[in-house]
Amino acid sequence: MKLFTETLSDGYGQSLSIDELLFEQQTEHQHLIIFQNRFFGRVMALDGIVQTTERDEFIYHEMMVHVPMLAHGAALRVLIIGGGDGGILREVLKHRSVEKVVQVEIDQAVIDLCKTFLPNHSAGAFDDPRVEIKIADGMAFVCEADIEPFDVIISDCTDPVGPGEVLFSSKFYEGCKRLLKSNGVFVAQNGVVFMQPDELINTQNRLSPYFKDTRFYTVAVPTYVGGVMALAWGCDDLQTSQLNVSLLHQRYEASGLNCRYYTPSVHASAFHLPAYVQNLIAK
Ligand code: SAM
């Protein structure tokens, strides 16, 4: 049996059987592999790190999108950085308030290959008339783009290795703040806390100068191994992350969403952090 073994954490990693190799290529930016696994379905990895699987992608994509979108409540314009598999885009477009989504992905190959081999991730989202795809470095875009600001910015990037590294920098967060409306919400994937505690500490230090409310919420994604993943949150409105469950429930009911992981209660409780995570932030 051929195994894919993840290389993210030193001395620890998950292995998935490669039951059928579907595609493998060194793109202009990173090594990309897509394979069939008997439990998780189709799996994509970039530079040896699992990015997404058919079976558990809904967990991450629902929590990365519906928490900021339902907390904001009336997002018209959304910016996605990364997200080449299309899962974030698919979920954002489910919100009827959305009039425009700009997605800045550095690697066209990821979009093309995910459309082909992981079609249910984007499920046609890339063809939605509200969507504008830009193939560019997200860092350069947020620092230089002359564009109308956004209500929600979602950074769905790879881990801080390779092309994704710049998307965890102060300069990137400054650029995102520049492109965010005054009551806008910024969220970003921020690694599995137990395995990558420095990522959380770095983000807290680099993000907090730009947002009055810098915090994290968590989600447990089976193939982001080692415990809960922290999702970074930045907003200048202190109430947006503190909405009560009944208001979130009203918004969820009105949205017409029918999620498999997200619930208003899970949304509210996700911001309650384990003591070890709170202690890391306090550092
Ligand atoms: N959900 C995954 C996770 O949490 O690790 C991320 C999925 S998505 C495939 C990550 C995307 O970020 C990839 O398509 C990659 O090409 C893109 N990316 C990496 N660095 C980037 C950059 N500097 N600018 C824009 N996109 C970037």
Side-chain angles (χ1 to χ4, degrees):
M1 173 173 64
K2 195 163 170 7
L3 285 176
F4 166 88
T5 299
E6 191 167 57
T7 57
L8 180 59
S9 303
D10 184 29
Y12 171 84
Q14 65 179 331
S15 290
L16 296 92
S17 61
I18 300 178
D19 300 322
E20 184 188 354
L21 178 61
L22 299 169
F23 193 84
E24 186 167 13
Q25 179 191 46
Q26 182 62 41
T27 78
E28 187 189 343
H29 298 281
Q30 51 211 334
H31 176 267
L32 180 151
I33 185 171
I34 299 178
F35 60 91
Q36 180 72 25
N37 172 264
R38 66 196 70 167
F39 185 82
F40 283 103
R42 292 186 172 186
V43 180
M44 177 181 63
L46 293 173
D47 286 340
I49 302 168
V50 171
Q51 298 295 305
T52 191
T53 84
E54 282 182 316
R55 187 160 186 169
D56 72 354
E57 59 88 3
F58 70 95
I59 300 172
Y60 170 81
H61 292 130
E62 288 182 8
M63 287 300 282
M64 274 282 277
V65 171
H66 304 314
V67 170
M69 292 296 286
L70 291 173
H72 182 284
L76 302 175
R77 292 173 53 79
V78 178
L79 171 63
I80 300 169
I81 305 294
D85 54 72
I88 296 286
L89 182 60
R90 178 196 73 212
E91 292 301 311
V92 165
L93 291 170
K94 289 179 180 174
H95 290 265
R96 298 185 193 110
S97 62
V98 171
E99 294 174 357
K100 178 79 174 180
V101 185
V102 175
Q103 179 160 353
V104 183
E105 163 57 54
I106 200 166
D107 199 337
Q108 179 73 56
V110 176
I111 293 179
D112 295 343
L113 292 161
C114 288
K115 275 183 182 174
T116 304
F117 293 106
L118 293 169
N120 298 326
H121 272 61
S122 53
F126 287 116
D127 301 322
D128 187 299
R130 294 172 287 176
V131 176
E132 182 182 351
I133 303 292
K134 293 179 179 296
I135 301 303
D137 175 9
M139 164 75 107
F141 180 83
V142 297
C143 293
E144 296 159 18
D146 178 11
I147 191 168
E148 194 185 333
F150 295 91
D151 299 291
V152 171
I153 298 179
I154 299 173
S155 179
D156 176 32
C157 59
T158 43
D159 288 89
V161 291
E165 191 166 5
V166 292
L167 305 183
F168 291 81
S169 64
S170 297
K171 193 161 179 273
F172 175 70
Y173 297 137
E174 183 178 15
C176 289
K177 180 65 186 297
R178 181 181 77 89
L179 290 185
L180 208 53
K181 291 181 187 173
S182 58
N183 65 339
V185 181
F186 168 79
V187 297
Q189 84 87 351
N190 203 87
V192 173
V193 195
F194 193 79
M195 304 305 295
Q196 300 139 334
D198 290 348
E199 221 171 284
L200 184 112
I201 296 169
N202 289 337
T203 298
Q204 175 66 26
N205 291 335
R206 295 171 186 167
L207 190 61
S208 49
Y210 299 107
F211 292 103
K212 293 189 184 81
D213 186 17
T214 298
R215 63 180 64 232
F216 297 89
Y217 62 104
T218 63
V219 58
V221 183
T223 52
Y224 299 157
V225 289
V228 291
M229 170 176 256
L231 306 178
W233 168 282
C235 183
D236 277 340
D237 179 299
L238 300 177
Q239 292 313 308
T240 307
S241 64
Q242 305 301 309
L243 301 183
N244 63 49
V245 178
S246 56
L247 174 58
L248 291 171
H249 197 77
Q250 281 171 31
R251 289 184 180 179
Y252 181 69
E253 290 306 309
S255 71
L257 288 167
N258 179 22
C259 294
R260 297 166 57 200
Y261 184 90
Y262 177 96
T263 73
S265 303
V266 164
H267 174 150
S269 61
F271 285 96
H272 296 281
L273 303 176
Y276 82 93
V277 180
Q278 292 180 36
N279 293 340
L280 283 171
I281 294 167
K283 264 184 182 173

